Amino acid sequence: MANYLKRPQGTEDVTPERINKWMTVEKVTRDIAESFGFSEIRIPTFEVTELFQRSVGETTDVVQKEMYSVIAKETQFTLRPEGTAGTIRAMLQNGMLAEALPQKVFYQLSCFRHERPQAGRLREFHQFGIEMAGSASPYADAEVILLGKTVLDRLGLKDIVLNLNSIGCPKCRAKYQEALKAYFEPHREELCETCQERLVRNPMRLLDCKSPEDQAIAKDAPVILDYLCEECSAHFEAVKSALTSMGVEYVINPKIVRGLDYYTKTVFEFITTSIGAQGTVCAGGRYDGLIEQLGGQSIPALGFGMGLERLILTMEQQGCAFFEEKKCDVYLAPMDADAKPVALKYAYALREMGVRAEFDLLDRSFKSQMKYANKLGTKYLVVLGSNELEQGRGQIKNMETGKQHEIRLDSAANFAEDYSGISLAEMFDTAE
Ligand code: ATP
Ligand code: MG
């Protein structure tokens, strides 16, 4: 096959056959975000590269290895690898942070990272994400985590473990970074190249390295929770007790430092074992320093990103239910050329009432029209033959039950009126 006929590695087509799965996660995430008082925001697909360097961080995998960047007319742009940086940039640029706080937004968007494609790891993937700016309260952390959990529960997912940690503030982290340096220094030569550099610039990043050798070395590294200052420690206790009061279970996982530089205090991941190694379906936390770091006021903020492909993969693995796509309600089968304009008109009359109606567009024989109608999962079939049209009446057949009803075919209005009556009556039939 010619190369231009193949989709790029690490991307996916979502054909109509699978679209119901996407509609399910998109609808559920939207509904739940709105019920928590979050409004949708839409941001550009690309931003000036410096935005990501300054926010995601120079020592992260994303910035060091995974960004898709281009120089266009002398400015360097990058396809967004995540949604937080662009969202905070938009909040700043549109004056949203000068309005009543907290500002609470959600998004459903595509992200781009140059990674090695595998199950649950793509080069173009999609995130549902939320960001809340303006609250330092531990209840805000609890709300954000609870929103994520509500989505996972509503989708019917099981066996997803909430991993919780606090990575403190710059104050507690300074001492911790020193301890990490001392711990890793004797192993410097054994570390991967990226981590040798991280040891100098940002040792905490070492804990996030994907290399098994580095992970083995990091196994007994000091844990941040032993270094938290009083304020961060009290905050973490309050988050935990708010979650406990809501019956939310969690495990403390000191290895979670998150892949992005901007996090402070609470960090968390919802992890499943159903889909193998790429098991984090939702990840987030607090990033109190980011807005100021980007040139805004000092405003605390937090949020999460949920990978929609991983979510769907997990749902498939666990046999969770997806919404069924609406099928064809009425299929009109014109038997000859004269019946075509009638089919066109009657189909339109039904659509005006919100009914999903279709008719033959390929001059098919009666038999192959039946076959096609069946394939569409048609509920009702109406044959438009010359006899029926002459007499001004015909039959509408329920394809599931085989039951037939007489229906007027003398005008579109009468046809539509009869259809409503019949489908309503049948609905009551089945309800009994
Ligand atoms: P990982 O450790 O798996 O690389 P990350 O820390 O890079 O994840 P985040 O930047 O926190 O991931 O992104 C939030 C969520 O987006 C992840 O938990 C995951 O569900 C999803 N995600 C991240 N990268 C990819 C990818 N390449 N393909 C599919 N989903 C992804
Ligand atoms: Mg990653």
Side-chain angles (χ1 to χ4, degrees):
M1 202 193 288
N3 218 20
Y4 68 87
L5 288 177
K6 294 182 198 142
R7 62 178 167 267
Q9 248 201 330
T11 64
E12 275 182 351
D13 301 312
V14 183
T15 56
E17 212 179 4
R18 265 170 53 81
I19 200 71
N20 67 313
K21 297 184 173 175
W22 284 86
M23 281 160 58
T24 304
V25 297
E26 283 165 8
K27 176 155 173 42
V28 166
T29 52
R30 167 182 299 274
D31 286 354
I32 290 170
E34 284 173 357
S35 77
F36 275 73
F38 286 70
S39 305
E40 185 175 4
I41 189 165
R42 296 194 185 185
I43 54 168
T45 309
F46 59 95
E47 302 274 354
V48 170
T49 302
E50 196 180 344
L51 177 69
F52 301 116
Q53 290 166 333
R54 284 179 176 268
S55 56
V56 178
E58 297 276 9
T59 57
T60 59
D61 272 355
V62 168
V63 169
Q64 287 186 325
K65 306 178 193 167
E66 300 170 359
M67 293 206 298
Y68 281 100
S69 301
V70 290
I71 294 174
K73 311 263 184 225
E74 281 148 30
T75 305
Q76 189 168 14
F77 297 103
T78 295
L79 292 179
R80 60 181 173 222
E82 49 92 62
T84 303
T87 300
I88 296 303
R89 196 262 318 128
M91 283 185 172
L92 285 167
Q93 189 165 3
N94 294 286
M96 288 169 67
L97 298 172
E99 306 281 324
L101 297 175
Q103 284 285 330
K104 306 197 290 185
V105 298
F106 76 91
Y107 48 77
Q108 296 170 335
L109 46 70
S110 51
C111 302
F112 305 84
R113 297 186 190 178
H114 191 88
E115 304 203 65
R116 194 168 68 77
Q118 50 198 294
R121 193 176 288 290
L122 293 132
R123 291 183 172 171
E124 179 182 15
F125 63 98
H126 296 78
Q127 275 188 0
F128 158 67
I130 66 166
E131 314 292 348
M132 185 198 295
S135 172
S137 164
Y139 285 97
D141 305 48
E143 282 260 278
V144 163
I145 293 171
L146 205 57
L147 199 165
K149 181 169 166 44
T150 307
V151 167
L152 301 174
D153 287 347
R154 187 79 56 88
L155 290 173
L157 291 160
K158 290 169 289 288
D159 302 327
I160 298 209
V161 179
L162 169 59
N163 284 245
L164 202 59
N165 192 20
S166 172
I167 56 171
C169 60
K171 223 169 32 186
C172 16
R173 226 177 296 161
K175 267 187 276 165
Y176 180 56
Q177 298 269 42
E178 284 312 310
L180 279 179
K181 259 186 196 160
Y183 174 84
F184 282 108
E185 196 51 58
H187 302 282
R188 176 199 284 275
E189 302 291 302
E190 303 152 59
L191 295 169
C192 75
E193 219 173 285
T194 322
C195 282
Q196 296 199 8
E197 189 199 329
R198 286 173 175 160
L199 184 54
V200 183
R201 293 177 65 186
N202 190 353
M204 214 167 73
R205 282 272 78 79
L206 279 158
L207 301 178
D208 204 42
C209 182
K210 299 275 188 310
S211 135
E213 291 81 22
D214 290 18
Q215 278 178 7
I217 297 171
K219 202 165 69 68
D220 299 316
V223 297
I224 177 80
L225 292 177
D226 296 334
Y227 292 80
L228 293 188
C229 68
E230 222 167 282
E231 188 204 324
C232 288
S233 188
H235 183 93
F236 194 44
E237 290 309 313
V239 173
K240 288 191 287 187
S241 70
L243 290 174
T244 302
S245 78
M246 289 299 290
V248 178
E249 289 175 21
Y250 56 83
V251 298
I252 301 296
N253 182 348
K255 286 275 143 61
I256 291 200
V257 296
R258 304 291 312 114
L260 317 176
D261 260 357
Y262 48 60
Y263 287 97
T264 53
K265 291 185 176 156
T266 315
V267 289
F268 63 91
E269 294 190 5
F270 285 95
I271 304 178
T272 169
T273 49
S274 299
I275 55 169
Q278 327 302 333
T280 302
V281 291
C282 175
R286 200 169 251 295
Y287 47 89
D288 287 347
L290 178 64
I291 295 174
E292 189 174 19
Q293 189 182 315
L294 288 176
Q297 290 166 274
S298 168
I299 295 174
L302 69 167
F304 69 63
M306 203 179 262
L308 296 183
E309 282 84 358
R310 287 188 199 177
L311 211 53
I312 291 173
L313 212 58
T314 313
M315 288 177 70
E316 288 171 339
Q317 283 299 320
Q318 298 191 0
C320 300
F322 294 95
F323 300 146
E324 280 304 317
E325 216 213 331
K326 226 174 154 265
K327 308 242 168 87
C328 174
D329 296 317
V330 181
Y331 187 85
L332 299 157
M335 288 295 102
D336 53 36
D338 289 345
K340 291 260 181 201
V342 179
L344 176 73
K345 206 168 172 183
Y346 286 20
Y348 191 80
L350 292 177
R351 292 166 185 159
E352 291 255 271
M353 309 189 303
V355 176
R356 202 157 150 162
E358 294 187 54
F359 64 97
D360 176 56
L361 292 172
L362 284 183
D363 297 328
R364 283 186 167 105
S365 71
F366 178 69
K367 213 171 126 195
S368 53
Q369 285 201 46
M370 287 311 96
K371 226 165 119 187
Y372 183 69
N374 266 320
K375 205 165 167 185
L376 291 179
T378 302
K379 178 145 193 231
Y380 290 109
L381 178 92
V382 182
V383 176
L384 302 175
S386 51
N387 278 348
E388 282 90 350
L389 293 179
E390 249 165 54
Q391 290 168 10
R393 56 186 60 241
Q395 300 289 323
I396 180 167
K397 183 177 174 182
N398 184 322
M399 305 275 276
E400 287 158 31
T401 62
K403 208 166 161 187
Q404 305 222 36
H405 303 269
E406 196 172 275
I407 191 163
R408 278 178 291 171
L409 296 173
D410 54 345
S411 74
N414 286 342
F415 170 74
E417 189 183 309
D418 283 3
Y419 169 78
S420 300
I422 292 164
S423 72
L424 254 179
E426 281 215 342
M427 238 190 290
F428 280 108
D429 260 11
T430 45
E432 274 170 7

